[in-house]
Amino acid sequence: MLPRLFARILVGCAALNLGFSLAAPAAVYPFRHNLPPTLEPQAAGQLTVQTLASGRTESLLSLSGLTPQTAYMAHYHALGAQPGASACDSDGPVTLGFPAFKADAQGRASVKLSAAPNVLAGNAGAYVNVHLASDPASVPLCAAVLKVAVLNGKAAPVNAKAAPAPVSLQKISIIDNAFRPPTLSIKVGDTVTWTHDGQITHNVKSTTAAGPQSGDLHHGDTYSFTFKQAGTYLFYCSYHEGMSGTITVTNR
Ligand SMILES: [Cu+2]
């Protein structure tokens, strides 16, 4: 059985990643039945995708109504070529497998998958199928992670590249001795511009190398930084104790 072998290889590569502090709000995707819901009609659940402070994504399947004591598999699929209202209908290839799991005596199961953000970004994590380990062709549940736009009869992924939420330009004023506003919530890809409206020398430094790092700024200077990774960024002026702020960056 090729699909099962493929799944086993994928599962071997998937590392469980527990215990990191949470950095961004979770996205929750409900599972739905493939129609008509003849297969395991009691099955239900949701997929929760969280970006951790480490930058990795964690996907959690929480399922109920499965056949008790039965082995299941779940995979991320890329968006396929079939047009449809949902990514679930697009018939795309497997991109990433969840660890194999078994429903308990009550028909419940939960399983976690950790992956680098670029693996689940864009088209690589369009939908998640849950199916019986004994019969990969029967798929009781699917959760669409990407929405699908039907263009000229062809499915197109709707993601950060194809139909982005507008990138916004955010401004922070530097005064003597504070940042105004000191906190911002933005999306991945947004640019923040600091403008020096004070009189004495300041700078913008970050506690992470992936964050903003300006040189000395003087009255009238600006410094811009584009946030490419979700997370919480603490920024500060290295000259003035207590002159700091926080930018929270979430996936769009
Ligand atoms: Cu300063």
Side-chain angles (χ1 to χ4, degrees):
M1 291 288 280
L2 191 59
R4 227 181 292 181
L5 178 64
F6 188 33
R8 211 169 293 153
I9 292 165
L10 285 169
V11 166
C13 299
L16 279 173
N17 189 352
L18 306 169
F20 283 94
S21 62
L22 303 178
V28 178
Y29 305 94
F31 275 100
R32 68 145 167 91
H33 287 270
N34 291 302
L35 296 173
T38 47
L39 208 62
E40 309 209 328
Q42 307 304 317
Q46 64 184 34
L47 162 69
T48 306
V49 182
Q50 176 90 52
T51 301
L52 304 175
S54 63
R56 291 178 73 80
T57 61
E58 188 176 81
S59 302
L60 173 67
L61 300 184
S62 307
L63 305 170
S64 63
L66 302 173
T67 305
Q69 311 290 7
T70 299
Y72 289 83
M73 296 198 296
H75 302 104
Y76 268 102
H77 290 249
L79 196 65
Q82 289 295 321
S86 164
C88 284
D89 304 319
S90 73
D91 195 22
V94 168
T95 54
L96 199 59
F98 283 74
F101 62 98
K102 198 173 165 185
D104 68 12
Q106 282 75 46
R108 293 178 176 276
S110 69
V111 59
K112 237 173 215 180
L113 170 69
S114 170
N118 60 322
V119 175
L120 297 190
N123 196 16
Y127 63 101
V128 171
N129 267 351
V130 174
H131 55 81
L132 291 155
S134 60
D135 183 8
S138 59
V139 181
L141 291 173
C142 179
V145 175
L146 286 184
K147 296 192 179 86
V148 174
V150 178
L151 301 166
N152 302 324
K154 288 178 85 174
V158 177
N159 58 29
K161 286 196 174 71
V167 170
S168 66
L169 300 172
Q170 308 275 347
K171 293 187 192 313
I172 294 177
S173 175
I174 301 172
I175 59 170
D176 305 320
N177 291 336
F179 294 104
R180 297 275 161 81
T183 59
L184 277 181
S185 291
I186 62 171
K187 298 290 187 188
V188 166
D190 284 350
T191 296
V192 175
T193 298
W194 285 260
T195 302
H196 193 314
D197 297 316
Q199 298 304 320
I200 59 177
T201 303
H202 300 288
N203 58 27
V204 180
K205 302 290 184 186
S206 168
T207 53
T208 52
Q213 308 286 349
S214 83
D216 281 359
L217 301 172
H218 305 100
H219 180 80
D221 287 348
T222 61
Y223 169 73
S224 294
F225 184 83
T226 301
F227 289 83
K228 299 195 168 117
Q229 255 197 325
T232 300
Y233 295 80
L234 182 68
F235 66 94
Y236 60 97
C237 169
S238 66
Y239 296 124
H240 299 107
E241 199 180 338
M243 186 174 168
S244 64
T246 306
I247 294 172
T248 305
V249 184
T250 54
N251 288 314
R252 39 185 74 242

